[in-house]
């Protein structure tokens, strides 16, 4: 499972970098400095600190308390991914803010024990801090959700996207309003619509006056399809150019290692490994 996830991450990262027209980075699996720093940081964090992270508790509960050590310590690897480059600002979703607090705590603890080295990175949140599940608007949209109708993928076909939005959870009131506390499902539709259209929530609601929720869900589906269309086309094009994708990973790996290596060497000297 873990190796499969790494493989998929590598493929996904290749597409992301290629879509941005530049082999400027690489997944952590190709830069050993990430895992080396992760082990050092793991030695600085106590078990209860990781066990209290909400994502661990949620996923461990879903796995009937059969969560692996890799899942438990994954936030430390995330911290290493960030600190390996002395990052100062990190774009994250709302669900990752708690993990960013762990990153800041680890950087602070390291600096206090061994000397100033790491900046304390700050979270950058977009206007839409969390995309919620289409089937359960109380939960975030997740690619690991077993309900395939809950999550929209960038590479989903227009037909798949329409099907998912048609079956999205709303309620028994037909009017389109934005009331997150009392109408979570419809409000989720409005938030997604605003995010892909670039309009404000208020403007989305104003333009949707007179529509019932069934028709509105199809309108949101069309907006998502339109937003994803050029990305899907570019991904399909890139999938035909395997050599370029391999180059993205190869050049990105070399560049990332060039940046991460001196930072890890500084860490090793400070902790006494070298």
């Amino acid at each position: 499972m873990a190796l499969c996830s790494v493989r998929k991450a590598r493929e996904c990262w290749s597409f992301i970098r290629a879509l941005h027209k530049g082999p400027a980075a690489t997944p952590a699996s190709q830069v050993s400095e990430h895992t080396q720093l992760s082990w050092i940081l793991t030695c600085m964090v106590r078990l209860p600190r990781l066990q209290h992270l909400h994502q661990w508790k949620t996923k461990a509960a879903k796995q009937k308390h059969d969560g692996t050590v890799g899942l438990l310590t994954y936030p430390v690897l995330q911290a290493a991914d960030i600190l390996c480059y002395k990052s100062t600002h990190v774009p994250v979703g709302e669900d990752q803010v708690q993990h960013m607090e762990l990153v800041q705590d680890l950087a602070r603890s390291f600096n206090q024990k061994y000397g100033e080295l790491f900046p304390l990175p700050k979270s950058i949140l977009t206007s839409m801090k969390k995309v919620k599940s289409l089937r359960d608007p109380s939960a975030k949209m997740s690619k690991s959700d077993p309900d395939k109708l809950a999550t929209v993928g960038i590479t989903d076909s227009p037909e798949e996207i329409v099907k998912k939005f048609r079956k999205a959870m709303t309620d028994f009131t037909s009017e389109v309003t934005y009331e997150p506390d009392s109408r979570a499902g419809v409000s989720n539709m409005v938030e997604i619509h605003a995010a892909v259209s670039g309009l404000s929530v208020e403007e989305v609601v104003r333009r949707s006056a007179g529509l019932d929720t069934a028709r509105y869900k199809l309108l949101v589906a069309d907006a998502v399809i339109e937003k994803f269309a050029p990305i899907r086309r570019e991904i399909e094009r890139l999938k035909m150019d395997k050599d370029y994708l391999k180059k993205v990973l190869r050049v990105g790996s070399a560049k990332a290692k060039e940046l991460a290596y001196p930072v890890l060497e500084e860490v090793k000297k400070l902790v006494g490994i070298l």
Side-chain angles (χ1 to χ4, degrees):
M1 285 284 290
L3 291 177
C4 180
S5 296
V6 168
R7 203 157 45 238
K8 288 181 179 178
R10 289 181 58 194
E11 294 171 0
C12 179
W13 193 258
S14 297
F15 289 133
I16 291 171
R17 294 315 312 168
L19 285 167
H20 281 278
K21 305 297 184 185
T26 193
S29 60
Q30 293 208 335
V31 183
S32 61
E33 284 76 9
H34 291 215
T35 50
Q36 293 180 63
L37 179 56
S38 177
W39 182 83
I40 292 171
L41 296 176
T42 300
C43 294
M44 299 180 61
V45 62
R46 297 184 180 278
L47 183 60
R49 180 73 169 85
L50 298 179
Q51 290 175 320
H52 280 96
L53 293 173
H54 60 76
Q55 286 207 26
W56 160 256
K57 290 191 289 187
T58 300
K59 291 181 179 179
K62 287 183 179 179
Q63 296 178 15
K64 297 181 180 179
H65 301 288
D66 195 31
T68 65
V69 173
L71 178 61
L72 177 68
T73 60
Y74 186 70
V76 185
L77 178 59
Q78 287 181 307
D81 295 346
I82 294 166
L83 298 179
C84 233
Y85 302 97
K86 295 187 177 181
S87 304
T88 58
H89 296 77
V90 184
V92 295
E94 188 178 47
D95 59 303
Q96 291 294 321
V97 169
Q98 194 180 43
H99 287 184
M100 280 298 297
E101 291 171 354
L102 174 66
V103 177
Q104 294 167 343
D105 288 346
L106 285 169
R108 191 179 293 108
S109 296
F110 187 95
N111 292 345
Q112 290 174 349
K113 187 169 185 178
Y114 298 108
E116 289 295 322
L117 178 64
F118 297 120
L120 301 184
K122 297 180 180 179
S123 299
I124 301 176
L125 294 170
T126 64
S127 57
M128 189 174 189
K129 299 176 183 178
K130 181 192 295 185
V131 182
K132 300 182 182 68
S133 164
L134 297 184
R135 301 292 287 169
D136 178 10
S138 67
K140 74 167 187 173
M141 186 180 287
S142 171
K143 62 182 181 296
S144 60
D145 195 316
D147 186 346
K148 300 307 179 184
L149 295 175
T151 303
V152 178
I154 291 177
T155 57
D156 284 351
S157 69
E159 294 75 20
E160 289 174 315
I161 293 174
V162 168
K163 178 182 178 181
K164 290 177 178 180
F165 275 93
R166 192 189 298 274
K167 293 182 177 292
M169 180 181 292
T170 50
D171 54 33
F172 297 106
T173 302
S174 62
E175 185 183 3
V176 177
T177 63
Y178 184 68
E179 303 170 68
D181 293 334
S182 58
R183 304 190 70 200
V186 176
S187 297
N188 188 31
M189 295 295 101
V190 171
E191 289 178 350
I192 292 173
H193 193 184
V196 298
S197 66
L199 300 172
S200 67
V201 165
E202 293 75 17
E203 181 63 14
V204 164
V205 172
R206 189 186 68 78
R207 294 190 182 192
S208 304
L211 289 178
D212 59 35
T213 52
R215 290 165 58 199
Y216 179 64
K217 286 193 289 185
L218 296 181
L219 178 66
V220 180
D222 286 342
V224 171
I225 291 168
E226 182 180 356
K227 184 71 174 180
F228 286 175
I231 303 173
R232 287 185 69 248
R233 286 195 296 268
E234 184 68 357
I235 287 176
E236 290 304 314
R237 186 187 71 79
L238 290 167
K239 284 168 69 176
M240 304 301 293
D241 193 351
K242 301 291 186 183
D243 290 339
Y244 176 65
L245 293 177
K246 290 176 182 177
K247 179 184 176 182
V248 167
L249 284 175
R250 185 174 63 253
V251 176
S253 177
K255 179 62 176 177
K257 196 172 187 69
E258 179 184 326
L259 296 171
Y261 178 79
V263 176
L264 182 64
E265 291 301 291
E266 286 184 80
V267 170
K268 288 180 176 179
K269 289 177 182 177
L270 287 171
V271 302
I273 294 178
L274 292 182

